[in-house]
Amino acid sequence: MGDDSDTLNYISRGGTTQDAEREMFEKWSEESGIDVTHQEVADDTEMVNLIAENPGEFDFTNPAQFGLAYERLEYDGELFTDLDTGEIPNYEENVQDQWKNAPPIEGEDDAIFYYMSSQGIGYNQEHIDEITSWEDLKADELEDRVSLFASPPTRFANCCAALEYDVGETLNDDGMMDDVFEEMEEQHQNVVTYWSAGDEFMRLLREDQVYTCSAWGGRMQVLQEGGMDAAYVIPDEGAVAHTNYFVIMEESDKKEDVYDLLNYLYEPENAVELSTTHNYPMAMQDPSDELTELFEYVESPDELLWFDWGEMIPNLSEISERVNQVMAS
């Protein structure tokens, strides 16, 4: 794959997001004459490991925060090249500075901000009038009508959010840790099942097996577009950020072409089209209603819960063991 001078090789997590990217990349290909191939993987761990195992095979990708931290920790930050945003003038001119300088890329050169995403609460308004807080998931009338994401770090972080605890401080305080797992156990009481992939919680909501779930807003938007009276909220206490980024591989010999494609994506019209196709907003200057009306849109990074994955990953085994015990109880 890496030998074709008229091809860029992209690797990502598939689904509706990569489908939307495929459509936009094809438009760039029509102008540039350079094709883009797509490989789909299950998650960021598989993605980063494949990049490491196949140097020169892939040219660019879009890791989430975990993927960036995993590459920095496990591969000493050697897989992704330092980016020259001067080669992406549309990024410099059109993306809000607050998102360029938010975690986990604040002070880093290995990635640029791609789109907003969070793990908040989705619900069907045919059954629930309103949800504003993590506390609402504990209501007696929601017994066996709740589904939550099975990801241990996300469960942990969102329970920190529910208590308005800082994740890093919690990891270093036994009492705060106990509080977080007590909160997790309380939320667990109404859970009928946990989900692992986005299409699972969408199916559960469609089939009325659950009325509410932890969710990605982009997926909830798809349910709304499909006719469900769907809503998405970042609870008053906050929700963990699941933002995504673009990176270029250090071993790619087509960096100039990738820069050209990225610059194309950050043209305002293209950014709006891409965002409204996969429902995850890019943080453009003077955003149009098309962007601000997306479920995932937030005015500021300060509205989301950020934590240092570099600090979380060394504690992940312990966190996962305790989270899994709660989910199995």
Side-chain angles (χ1 to χ4, degrees), residues 114-129:
Y114 178 14
Y115 62 70
M116 305 174 194
S117 181
S118 53
Q119 179 76 202
I121 299 174
Y123 59 101
N124 185 341
Q125 294 183 106
E126 291 182 11
H127 302 292
I128 299 173
D129 290 335

Side-chain angles (χ1 to χ4, degrees), residues 116 130 230 232:
M116 305 174 194
E130 185 179 32
Y232 176 76

